[in-house]
Amino acid sequence: GASGRTQLAMLDLAAAADMKTIATFPDADVHSVHWVGDDRLVFDILDLTGQRSTGNGGLFAVDRDGSHFLALIAPTFRFHQDVTGTRIHSRVLPTTFTFYAVTHDGSGDVIVAENLFSQSDPFNVRATVLYRLNTRSRKTRNLTMGQPAGVTEWILDPGDAPRVATAYVDARRIVYQREESGRWIALGEFDRYRSGEFVPRFFGFDGALYVQHGPLASLFRFDLSQHRFDDGPALQLDGFDGSVDPVLDFKAQRMLGYRYQTDAEHTSWLDPRFAEYQQQIDAALPNATNTITCGDCVSSRFLLVASTSDRQPARYFAFDPVAASLVAIGGEFPWIQASQMGRREFVRYRSRDGLSIPAYVTSPPEPYPKPYPLVVLVHGGPYVRGGSWEWDPEAQFLASRGYAVIQPEYRGSKGFGFDFYKAGWRQWGLAMQDDLADAAQWAVAQGIADGQRIAIAGASYGGYASLMGLIKNPELFRCAVDWFGVTDIDLIYSASWSDASEADLRYGGPALVGDPVADAEQLKATSPLRNANRIRQPVLMAYGSQDRRVPLVHGQRLRSAIATPRDRVEWVVYPGEGHGLRQEQHRIDFWTRVEKFLDKCLTTPAAGKAVSAAR
């Protein structure tokens, strides 16, 4: 809108009418939007300028013509209350509530979750209670009376009723089923952090529960009445987890397909008509990931298509199944020119111990000549999926400046099977770190990278790994960029101003990272702070003054201890920022610094012999 804020607007595709704004805020942005039936929507708000910490974005409802606006959940930040001429009433749910799901019975109700926090640990949600909320009257009804202790995750059945729950109690993960009588029984009990044996995902319209199961976390159908799996998987992916989201049509009472991620996002259609629609769309929008979304898909007049590629941010189209035609609606970052972006490729390379490591390689566009200076860009987490084939702004920023970028899905990353995830436990600075050095060596051997001009960079865990890269492989990495990086594993446990929950520190940290007592020597050997005298190369360090995930003390202590000459350490603290850069001026400042820093470090070859491609 004119104020620069993201608005909620309605466009009637069938009538080809002008776009009509139905909700706007002068000092907040409309964020996530959900249809509740054909005529009503719910949405939350954020401050996307980053000027204020937003937290919970509340929940609001409005009819598609802009009438009957109602605030349902209060956001955690103050904002101007005039919304399309309507004053927000004060009788709203408190900020401990969040949106959970829409309903599908035409009532216009939604399901919201109340998060109950531990009094002794303000970052630990000890239980989550679900309520049905009327978006017109604000009346609520508890849906989970008598729930087991510690439940924080729910799976709803096709009738929008909570039927399967997951509880976390100490180091245990317990999956429960609610029987017809309302009694809860345990389906299984597992180690909280170590087992992916049985992870409930969703219900089918046949009443069966679909779960992730087995070493590759394949998708299995589980009969709740018989408590048994089908003989074979419903969907199994070669080399990837079966982390599947269903395409469900509640009006037709049918599951139309599965959405999943391998190297990129894909949809496997069970309905042959939608498989044909997908083929028609892919033919019209080649070399792209084209994702069809719809509500009552079978009876919809139009299907929404989100199309993205390695060089193109998401563009949106309306597909008319009858005419087999596409109409452009709009797109994200429309100023991005694909011709200025680099090609992105999914690869696998062998680590020094023989493990196959997935990675994404983004090459510079023409006319930059090979071999390129290389940035090993390390994802945070670390126990998450790092990336996908689609357009990546950080990789493309670097590629557009002439750098090849390799983004390893190092061991411990999720999405590639439980064994691959487990291989990264307690391997900070060890095998996980070797995977990053091996990625650089592989890129040199492939003729992609200039072995004399390699940098390592990343945020959070990626910042930690970048610092460890300078310590462990000084012959390989000429410089590092660390933003919001962990500098000492012991500080994860001891820093008082942190958002790590008691459960994370007591159970997750020792299982996944290392025990501060039993593994004290290992954690000392893999601590950038304890090995600061070995950091001799240039380093750019950026931190947020209000970061509760990796408090500022991490950066401050390392900066004081580092051995690199002061004129080779660039240090910046962004006021008001947490664990990420939300303010546009800070993002511009940081990436301008990154561009200048890398240009200074990698423009000319280093003195001495090039890094060998052989291992």
Side-chain angles (χ1 to χ4, degrees):
S3 66
R5 293 293 185 173
T6 302
Q7 303 173 343
L8 179 60
M10 191 59 53
L11 175 65
D12 189 336
L13 295 172
D18 291 336
M19 188 176 296
K20 177 186 177 182
T21 299
I22 61 173
T24 181
F25 299 77
D27 53 358
D29 300 277
V30 175
H31 186 230
S32 299
V33 182
H34 307 273
W35 282 97
V36 190
D38 292 334
D39 297 307
R40 196 147 175 82
L41 303 99
V42 293
F43 62 92
D44 64 0
I45 60 174
L46 290 178
D47 177 14
L48 296 179
T49 67
Q51 297 298 322
R52 294 167 296 174
S53 177
T54 57
N56 180 358
L59 190 68
F60 305 85
V62 66
D63 284 354
R64 67 177 185 174
D65 63 359
S67 64
H68 300 103
F69 175 89
L70 202 64
L72 303 172
I73 300 174
T76 54
F77 64 103
R78 295 180 63 83
F79 63 99
H80 194 277
Q81 294 188 336
D82 285 333
V83 184
T84 59
T86 306
R87 294 289 294 181
I88 293 177
H89 299 288
S90 60
R91 190 170 61 86
V92 297
L93 294 172
T95 58
T96 51
F97 282 77
T98 56
F99 171 80
Y100 194 82
V102 299
T103 59
H104 304 90
D105 58 2
S107 66
D109 291 357
V110 294
I111 295 173
V112 295
E114 182 184 18
N115 297 308
L116 306 179
F117 292 89
S118 169
Q119 291 185 347
S120 62
D121 181 0
F123 299 107
N124 183 37
V125 177
R126 60 179 175 84
T128 298
V129 181
L130 296 189
Y131 294 84
R132 191 176 178 107
L133 170 65
N134 187 295
T135 64
R136 298 188 185 276
S137 69
R138 294 198 186 100
K139 290 182 178 179
T140 59
R141 176 165 59 89
N142 191 316
L143 298 177
T144 57
M145 292 288 289
Q147 68 187 65
V151 170
T152 56
E153 297 172 6
W154 300 93
I155 303 291
L156 307 179
D157 68 15
D160 303 317
R163 181 109 169 270
V164 169
T166 300
Y168 294 92
V169 180
D170 296 329
R172 295 172 294 143
R173 179 174 64 90
I174 310 169
V175 179
Y176 292 97
Q177 168 196 355
R178 185 162 65 179
E179 296 184 313
E180 293 283 343
S181 64
R183 184 172 67 101
W184 290 94
I185 62 169
L187 290 174
E189 186 170 327
F190 312 94
D191 186 292
R192 178 175 185 150
Y193 293 95
R194 295 181 179 274
S195 176
E197 178 66 18
F198 186 97
V199 180
R201 295 290 300 175
F202 59 88
F203 271 95
F205 290 105
D206 58 356
L209 176 68
Y210 286 77
V211 304
Q212 285 178 235
H213 173 63
L216 268 179
S218 299
L219 185 70
F220 277 81
R221 183 181 178 278
F222 183 79
D223 189 325
L224 282 172
S225 62
Q226 301 292 325
H227 287 187
R228 63 180 299 274
F229 296 100
D230 281 358
D231 292 337
L235 183 68
Q236 183 169 310
L237 306 174
D238 185 17
F240 299 90
D241 283 352
S243 298
V244 174
D245 291 316
V247 182
L248 301 173
D249 187 323
F250 283 84
K251 184 176 181 179
Q253 292 285 289
R254 290 168 54 194
M255 182 158 58
L256 303 178
Y258 302 119
R259 196 105 61 207
Y260 58 88
Q261 191 175 58
T262 55
D263 59 327
E265 186 174 278
H266 298 276
T267 305
S268 177
W269 292 104
L270 302 173
D271 187 302
R273 285 175 299 175
F274 281 82
E276 182 179 351
Y277 299 156
Q278 186 75 60
Q279 290 178 355
Q280 294 170 347
I281 293 167
D282 290 345
L285 301 170
N287 305 315
T289 295
N290 301 308
T291 303
I292 300 172
T293 59
C294 44
D296 299 330
C297 298
V298 173
S299 57
S300 287
R301 176 69 177 83
F302 295 97
L303 306 177
L304 179 66
V305 177
S307 179
T308 183
S309 74
D310 55 342
R311 306 175 74 192
Q312 180 71 59
R315 296 175 296 164
Y316 298 96
F317 299 84
F319 177 71
D320 183 341
V322 175
S325 62
L326 281 166
V327 177
I329 299 174
E332 299 176 4
F333 310 109
W335 55 87
I336 293 292
Q337 299 180 36
S339 61
Q340 297 177 352
M341 301 293 102
R343 293 292 182 188
R344 188 167 169 84
E345 183 182 5
F346 179 77
V347 302
R348 289 182 182 269
Y349 64 90
R350 289 285 173 186
S351 67
R352 64 193 64 186
D353 63 359
L355 191 61
S356 175
I357 309 295
Y360 292 92
V361 176
T362 305
S363 300
E366 294 181 353
Y368 293 105
K370 279 187 178 182
Y372 309 112
L374 177 73
V375 178
V376 179
L377 188 58
V378 189
H379 73 73
Y383 303 108
V384 297
R385 173 76 181 256
S388 188
W389 172 78
E390 294 84 4
W391 188 76
D392 182 302
E394 293 180 353
Q396 290 292 1
F397 176 87
L398 295 169
S400 69
R401 270 69 177 171
Y403 300 98
V405 181
I406 187 166
Q407 295 167 278
E409 299 281 2
Y410 47 82
R411 71 190 68 202
S413 300
K414 289 187 175 180
F416 307 96
F418 187 76
D419 290 343
F420 188 84
Y421 165 51
K422 185 177 180 180
W425 294 352
R426 304 159 79 99
Q427 291 299 309
W428 286 43
L430 302 174
M432 291 167 75
Q433 195 69 38
D434 292 339
D435 290 346
L436 306 177
D438 292 346
Q441 295 278 21
W442 176 87
V444 173
Q446 296 295 311
I448 298 169
D450 178 348
Q452 292 183 295
R453 295 187 292 163
I454 303 175
I456 186 168
S460 196
Y461 171 83
Y464 162 87
S466 298
L467 296 167
M468 281 302 301
L470 299 186
I471 294 167
K472 194 169 184 179
N473 298 103
E475 80 291 349
L476 185 60
F477 299 115
R478 287 184 60 178
C479 61
V481 181
D482 149 42
W483 61 111
F484 317 117
V486 172
T487 63
D488 184 64
I489 296 173
D490 279 340
L491 275 176
I492 297 176
Y493 294 99
S494 62
S496 59
W497 191 38
S498 170
D499 68 354
S501 72
E502 182 180 340
D504 289 337
L505 297 179
R506 181 177 296 181
Y507 305 112
L512 302 179
V513 182
D515 188 285
V517 177
D519 301 313
E521 288 304 310
Q522 174 185 320
L523 301 188
K524 180 179 179 180
T526 55
S527 164
L529 180 59
R530 305 291 185 90
N531 294 274
N533 64 325
R534 295 169 60 186
I535 297 178
R536 303 286 179 177
Q537 306 93 315
V539 57
L540 167 59
M541 301 171 65
Y543 287 82
S545 68
Q546 304 300 311
D547 193 344
R548 298 188 72 98
R549 181 64 49 84
V550 179
L552 180 59
V553 64
H554 279 265
Q556 290 172 324
R557 291 191 182 181
L558 181 64
R559 185 192 182 206
S560 298
I562 207 164
T564 303
R566 289 294 174 186
D567 61 351
R568 303 185 74 187
V569 177
E570 185 171 348
W571 167 261
V572 58
V573 177
Y574 291 104
E577 294 285 12
H579 198 58
L581 296 176
R582 296 176 56 251
Q583 296 186 38
E584 183 178 44
Q585 69 268 28
H586 291 163
R587 293 196 299 271
I588 292 172
D589 178 84
F590 173 70
W591 286 101
T592 300
R593 289 173 183 265
V594 170
E595 182 175 9
K596 292 178 179 178
F597 178 79
L598 292 177
D599 183 62
K600 183 169 60 175
C601 291
L602 301 183
T603 296
T604 58
K609 189 177 179 180
V611 173
S612 172
R615 287 203 301 271

